[in-house]
Amino acid sequence: MEPISPTQRRLLWIGCVVALVSSTALMVWYWPGALPQDSSSGVWTALAQDFAKGVFYRPTYSAFGFGGTRYMPLFFVVHGALIRLALDPVTAGVVLLGIVLFDTALLLTLRELGVDWPVAVPLALLPHAAVSFQLLSLQVKGDFLAAALNLGGIWCGLRYARRRSAPWLVACVLCFLGAFLTKLTAVAGAVLICGWLWERKDRRAAVAVGGSFALLAALALGGVDWASDGRALASFRAVATGGMHLGYALAAPVWLLLSAVQDPVFLLVVSVAALYSVDAIRRGAWTVPAAYFWLATGVTLVIFSSPGTDTNHLLDLLAASVLVFGERLTRAPRTAKLAVALPVVFAGLIALTWIPGMISIKSLIEKGGKPERSSVAVIARRLGPAAHDLLSENPILPVELGERPRVLDPFNLRLLASQRPEIAADFRERIARGQFGAVVLVDHTGADPPHVAAALRACRGSEGDRCYGDLVFPPGFLELLDQRYALSFVVHPFVVYEPRTSAAGVALGPRAGTGRGVGAVRIGTGFSAR
């Protein structure tokens, strides 16, 4: 079959290399001196810090504070191990981002599907063009690792079928197990390989992969629960669904679309991949990439049936789309013009963002306030001893100060408070007593100090819910906060409240002034990437 032309290959390389350069430049600009870009990265980091201090999954509720998480342990356990080796929490998290691992796994899978090196290499770089990918590169969480292990399992399964070597089958199962232990929903690859092997009449291998994976996953979950003294599964039972209900679940395609429109690159890539996959089904060609694309789409829809889901969960579908592109460029290059044209279009759009004054991820971050370590130092200096007992929307602040966050995850605190009245009452009482030395919220609008309180009240998530009370922290949180605490100062993107009366009963009021930094961002209307 005739390969793509040299001109098409050059265009593909140009488009994908521009995407890589843009993504790398953003990381080089962002990370020196910065904190992870979103609050859920702070939750992952707090879990790692807990593990480094000997706490594997804290209780959902205790005299110390409030826990609750649906995050699987592999990523934060390795993160915590690095912290114990004397790496600071942020540096350890950046080391574990897993971007290179993801790119490599995608490249190897493309090659195993028969895509030539000159096409596979640029295609493996194509995800760097997506806004969701670039934002994820500024965060510390397990998505890259889970996606890389998932792709690694697919690669090993494909190699086993070609080489019939048992070690490849073992490696396949272990990769899928690692993906599952990083992200609960990272199961599409295992389903794909089991189904593919069964379809190839290699049913012993299919049963071996499926049975071994299921058995090891069950044993691993049991081991995690045992090692945490029962806290892990209790936490999962309490918050794993994110407050899902039937009405919300039925609208999952809408929530997925609302997130996708925040990332036009992702939307275009997935739309073209869907066209190619539908065409493959119409022709009766249920290939591995087409099957994986629809499996990943189904799993992604299930994920988006849970409230609090954001663009970090688009990564698997993005990788599946690239595999579809690779197959089409290899098997039917004459019908793959869109797959070549898209990277060129993306390169042009990326180049436009380099023009001064044009909207870009960097400019939006600068407008909203880049979270920096220097901002934490300013807050600590201005608060003094009160900084040692913060209620922080982003748990990264107390972690940076060497403290354990009283609230592990404000999103899950809202869920726990709705399930258990005693948790809601205790949290309200702690606020009413002024128990916290200060309360630090996060504002991404870049509003000036006189208007930042109004910006917090007006904040809405991508589904239109109020950020405070409907998404994070229990209902009535801002109203209760205003009764006992006063907005004291702003170090963008952090908004600091202090008790209205000191320990001696002296009235405190809002303090003028702001330690203005450059910012952090939510692209579009998304509030929290979980």
Side-chain angles (χ1 to χ4, degrees):
M1 184 172 295
E2 182 182 349
I4 64 174
S5 68
T7 299
Q8 289 177 314
R9 190 178 296 122
R10 282 194 293 269
L11 290 174
L12 187 65
W13 271 92
I14 290 171
C16 294
V17 168
V18 168
L20 174 65
V21 170
S22 176
S23 175
T24 304
L26 179 66
M27 287 186 282
V28 169
W29 165 77
Y30 182 87
W31 276 116
L35 300 173
Q37 184 264 333
D38 71 330
S39 294
S40 60
S41 295
V43 178
W44 283 94
T45 307
L47 286 165
Q49 185 208 47
D50 277 355
F51 181 78
K53 293 179 178 293
V55 179
F56 184 48
Y57 286 102
R58 64 170 67 183
T60 54
Y61 174 50
S62 67
F64 174 77
F66 309 89
T69 185
R70 52 183 174 181
Y71 296 153
M72 294 293 278
L74 182 59
F75 182 84
F76 74 73
V77 163
V78 179
H79 188 178
L82 291 179
I83 293 173
R84 293 196 69 170
L85 292 175
L87 283 178
D88 76 83
V90 173
T91 301
V94 175
V95 167
L96 286 177
L97 273 180
I99 296 173
V100 174
L101 190 64
F102 172 83
D103 291 345
T104 302
L106 184 55
L107 172 61
L108 292 174
T109 306
L110 285 165
R111 287 288 297 132
E112 198 61 36
L113 289 168
V115 182
D116 292 336
W117 283 105
V119 175
V121 172
L123 279 181
L125 304 177
L126 180 60
H128 286 261
V131 173
S132 53
F133 185 102
Q134 294 193 19
L135 283 176
L136 193 54
S137 72
L138 311 182
Q139 301 165 7
V140 171
K141 51 185 68 171
D143 296 272
F144 277 123
L145 179 60
L149 289 170
N150 198 45
L151 286 169
I154 295 173
W155 173 60
C156 291
L158 294 173
R159 283 187 75 80
Y160 162 78
R162 190 155 60 87
R163 302 196 175 201
R164 308 294 298 179
S165 174
W168 286 110
L169 208 61
V170 172
C172 172
V173 172
L174 292 179
C175 282
F176 289 142
L177 179 64
F180 174 74
L181 287 175
T182 305
K183 189 174 180 179
L184 195 62
T185 54
V187 295
V191 174
L192 172 74
I193 291 300
C194 289
W196 180 70
L197 289 171
W198 188 273
E199 182 66 22
R200 286 171 55 90
K201 311 300 183 185
D202 195 350
R203 294 181 178 176
R204 285 185 62 185
V207 171
V209 170
S212 299
F213 171 69
L215 177 62
L216 290 174
L219 290 174
L221 281 177
V224 166
D225 199 47
W226 172 79
S228 65
D229 292 329
R231 295 186 295 270
L233 292 189
S235 182
F236 294 160
R237 284 194 297 268
V239 302
T241 65
M244 181 195 305
H245 54 83
L246 181 60
Y248 192 97
L250 292 175
V254 177
W255 311 136
L256 174 57
L257 182 61
L258 286 174
S259 289
V261 296
Q262 299 177 49
D263 187 348
V265 171
F266 168 83
L267 194 58
L268 286 171
V269 168
V270 171
S271 297
V272 173
L275 288 175
Y276 287 160
S277 298
V278 168
D279 182 59
I281 295 171
R282 183 180 58 81
R283 292 185 287 105
W286 273 99
T287 61
V288 167
Y292 183 53
F293 176 83
W294 292 114
L295 276 172
T297 299
V299 171
T300 304
L301 281 171
V302 170
I303 293 171
F304 273 86
S305 68
S306 172
T309 306
D310 212 329
T311 58
N312 58 304
H313 295 287
L314 303 179
L315 190 60
D316 286 317
L317 191 48
L318 187 61
S321 300
V322 171
L323 297 182
V324 171
F325 282 12
E327 179 193 48
R328 181 56 66 104
L329 287 168
T330 301
R331 310 296 180 202
R334 292 183 178 179
T335 65
K337 293 181 180 179
L338 281 174
V340 175
L342 280 183
V344 179
V345 171
F346 299 155
L349 294 174
I350 289 168
L352 285 177
T353 66
W354 296 343
I355 300 174
M358 294 294 291
I359 294 177
S360 65
I361 295 176
K362 179 182 176 182
S363 68
L364 291 172
I365 289 174
E366 289 175 327
K367 176 184 176 183
K370 179 181 174 184
E372 296 181 296
R373 300 186 190 204
S374 60
S375 302
V376 180
V378 170
I379 292 170
R381 185 171 62 251
R382 296 190 64 167
L383 289 178
H388 296 293
D389 199 358
L390 297 180
L391 170 60
S392 180
E393 178 182 344
N394 188 339
I396 200 75
L397 268 72
V399 168
E400 279 290 290
L401 294 171
E403 307 290 330
R404 290 185 66 211
R406 293 279 184 176
V407 173
L408 175 65
D409 187 338
F411 178 86
N412 288 330
L413 172 59
R414 177 184 59 82
L415 297 178
L416 293 169
S418 68
Q419 298 166 18
R420 297 175 57 181
E422 71 274 19
I423 291 180
D426 185 17
F427 180 71
R428 286 196 300 268
E429 180 64 20
R430 294 188 192 213
I431 295 284
R433 291 200 312 265
Q435 177 177 325
F436 303 106
V439 177
V440 184
L441 304 184
V442 184
D443 169 59
H444 297 288
T445 67
D448 54 25
H451 299 98
V452 73
L456 292 172
R457 289 193 296 271
C459 178
R460 294 290 186 274
S462 57
E463 294 91 17
D465 296 322
R466 293 176 60 196
C467 295
Y468 299 97
D470 290 340
L471 288 176
V472 298
F473 294 116
F477 168 72
L478 282 183
E479 293 76 11
L480 183 61
L481 179 68
D482 285 338
Q483 293 173 17
R484 188 63 181 82
Y485 290 79
L487 199 159
S488 183
F489 62 94
V490 179
V491 186
H492 281 294
F494 303 117
V495 182
V496 183
Y497 288 76
E498 292 188 77
R500 288 189 179 274
T501 56
S502 67
V506 179
L508 297 176
R511 284 192 261 178
T514 175
R516 172 79 182 181
V518 290
V521 67
R522 295 282 190 273
I523 297 298
T525 57
F527 177 69
S528 180
R530 293 181 183 278

